[in-house]
Amino acid sequence: MNAALRWDAAACVPGPEAWERFGYKNPLGDWSYSRDLIPMKWSREDALKIVEQVPPEMVRNTKMTGTPKQVAQMIQPYIEAGCNYVFVADYTGVVTTGDWGDAKDKPNYVAQTFAASRRMNGIAT
């Protein structure tokens, strides 16, 4: 599984509780991205050691994947529960080729996801 997705599952998921819910321990321990990530203190080797400890199941447990419409449907219960901020990222450029620059030539899946979500909620796109 792609290292960027595995790193994201370890570093960007809030708190160890999210991992524990699925029966795993975050290799970063009691970690909070906003509190603990100081990029200048991480070597490539350190980050790769963490990535190696992230099971693919945790990536699947912590990420919503699918078509823009499918992801919008996955987000919908959170909107219905009162969530008013959603961060959507498109990793296809990194996952498929390893080059963030490739994303500029792909369809804008983020915009398509938000458009699908707006339609589902009766909001003009």
Side-chain angles (χ1 to χ4, degrees), residues 19-99:
W19 280 63
E20 290 166 3
R21 246 182 281 146
F22 296 104
Y24 292 97
K25 286 190 71 125
N26 188 329
L28 292 170
D30 181 18
W31 172 267
S32 170
Y33 179 85
S34 59
R35 179 190 69 209
D36 299 316
L37 183 66
I38 303 173
M40 292 69 64
K41 293 189 177 188
W42 288 92
S43 70
R44 180 179 192 281
E45 293 74 26
D46 289 339
L48 289 174
K49 285 178 188 172
I50 295 298
V51 165
E52 290 169 5
Q53 298 175 61
V54 177
E57 295 80 22
M58 276 310 294
V59 175
R60 291 183 196 96
N61 289 335
T62 61
K63 305 291 168 236
M64 296 178 185
T65 62
T67 66
K69 184 176 180 180
Q70 290 169 329
V71 173
Q73 290 170 335
M74 291 176 207
I75 293 168
Q76 187 62 25
Y78 296 93
I79 293 171
E80 291 171 2
C83 178
N84 60 12
Y85 179 82
V86 176
F87 178 79
V88 177
D90 178 5
Y91 282 85
T92 51
V94 174
V95 173
T96 57
T97 67
D99 183 353

Side-chain angles (χ1 to χ4, degrees), residues 102-116:
D102 286 351
K104 70 179 175 20
D105 298 326
K106 304 283 188 244
N108 189 335
Y109 294 123
V110 172
Q112 291 177 24
T113 300
F114 282 118

